Amino acid sequence: MKKGLFQYIGDSFKILFNNRVLLFAGLMEVLLMGVALLMVLGGAAGGPRAGIFSVILLVAVMGLIASFMLAGKIHMTKKVYDPDEEEPVEVGDYFEGMKHFGLKIFGGSMFLIVCSLLVFVPLIFILARTGSVFLIIIAVFALVAVLIFVTLWDTILVVDDIDVASAFGDSISFVKANFWIVLGLNIFASLITTGDILDPSGLIGNGQEVGVGNAMDLSILYQWIINIFGPIGWLISMLMLIVLSVIATMVFVDLYMDRRDRYGSFS
């Protein structure tokens, strides 16, 4: 019988409990987020103002690091769900995934960012000059819809070990056949990670780019915890995020591998 939204979520928690080594990936992402947060706080405290070139360079470097981290996390997760995998998942699998897929994910991410900027930024600028709020809203929703259709490209790239172009195409085909559950899992991922509906990996932004500003982009769940518990709320949030950032990736890997194995290739 086809699994539903809550089954994928519940199964991910059970599988993580039996494969706690996956938490290594969550720890690495939270450490990266901590570094970004310190940069934000340092800037707010009156540090030297960086020029536009320095900001772009910083975003590119952190995007590269985050892409490699995401590659390692997906590769580890894929091994857990692979029925043909005989060896238990290890920390070494994280670095193996980084080695084989990190540059591919970074390249695909940059392609997605550039395409989005080239198409939608001029479009929204033109619409803004017309003064039509309705058309601007339509354009924003169109961007969201496009990004949702390619939301599994990085997962598919690593799981199936294919090229970037094929991963985008397969993601579109898969989401067309499973739109509502993909949308539901994106919403779930946004609630338990950084509030980014377009990014299953949670800690990094659309297309996997990382900006230091993203470190402050916590979902309402963590904002609520911090508001209640104060400074100790940050510690509680980081511990939760180590677990939930992994869960946010696991549900998509499980969804794709489960439905691919049931119904065949979505190419």
Side-chain angles (χ1 to χ4, degrees):
M1 188 175 69
K2 183 186 294 186
K3 291 170 64 175
L5 174 70
F6 295 106
Q7 285 178 288
Y8 285 115
I9 295 172
D11 287 351
S12 293
F13 279 99
K14 294 176 185 177
I15 292 171
L16 179 59
F17 181 79
N18 293 319
N19 297 272
R20 289 184 288 274
V21 67
L22 292 175
L23 293 174
F24 176 79
L27 174 62
M28 295 299 291
E29 289 193 0
V30 168
L31 289 176
L32 177 65
M33 185 178 180
V35 171
L37 180 59
L38 289 175
M39 291 180 179
V40 172
L41 295 177
R49 300 179 65 86
I52 185 64
F53 177 78
S54 298
V55 172
I56 293 174
L57 180 61
L58 176 61
V59 169
V61 169
M62 295 199 68
L64 180 64
I65 294 171
S67 296
F68 275 78
M69 287 183 170
L70 179 61
K73 181 169 65 168
I74 295 175
H75 184 65
M76 287 182 80
T77 306
K78 177 250 186 182
K79 291 195 68 174
V80 168
Y81 285 104
D82 190 348
D84 298 325
E85 186 61 51
E86 298 179 355
E87 297 294 327
V89 64
E90 300 174 344
V91 170
D93 296 316
Y94 180 81
F95 296 103
E96 181 181 349
M98 294 175 70
K99 176 182 177 182
H100 290 293
F101 303 107
L103 282 177
K104 282 187 177 182
I105 288 183
F106 181 70
S109 301
M110 294 302 103
F111 171 77
L112 187 60
I113 293 168
V114 170
C115 288
S116 299
L117 291 176
L118 289 178
V119 175
F120 284 96
V121 170
L123 177 61
I124 292 177
F125 177 76
I126 293 171
L127 294 175
R129 290 179 64 87
T130 68
S132 175
V133 176
F134 175 75
L135 291 178
I136 294 174
I137 293 174
I138 293 296
V140 171
F141 271 98
L143 174 60
V144 171
V146 170
L147 292 176
I148 287 176
F149 273 98
V150 297
T151 196
L152 268 84
W153 77 269
D154 43 19
T155 297
I156 294 172
L157 182 145
V158 175
V159 170
D160 289 344
D161 192 3
I162 57 178
D163 60 84
V164 173
S166 298
F168 278 117
D170 288 0
S171 177
I172 293 171
S173 298
F174 182 85
V175 176
K176 283 172 62 179
N178 302 276
F179 179 80
W180 293 111
I181 192 165
V182 171
L183 177 61
L185 287 177
N186 267 293
I187 294 172
F188 168 72
S190 77
L191 293 175
I192 66 171
T193 52
T194 58
D196 186 352
I197 192 174
L198 303 174
D199 181 14
S201 68
L203 285 174
I204 45 189
N206 304 342
Q208 324 315 327
E209 85 277 15
V210 174
V212 291
N214 258 6
M216 302 297 289
D217 187 25
L218 294 172
S219 74
I220 189 171
L221 170 65
Y222 301 102
Q223 293 176 13
W224 177 71
I225 291 173
I226 292 169
N227 289 337
I228 290 178
F229 295 100
I232 198 173
W234 282 100
L235 176 60
I236 296 172
S237 296
M238 293 304 101
L239 293 175
M240 290 178 59
L241 202 50
I242 290 174
V243 175
L244 297 180
S245 67
V246 177
I247 292 293
T249 296
M250 292 177 69
V251 291
F252 284 95
V253 174
D254 187 17
L255 171 68
Y256 177 69
M257 294 185 70
D258 174 58
R259 301 208 170 182
R260 180 201 62 181
D261 293 343
R262 286 175 184 268
Y263 306 112
S265 173
F266 284 84
S267 300

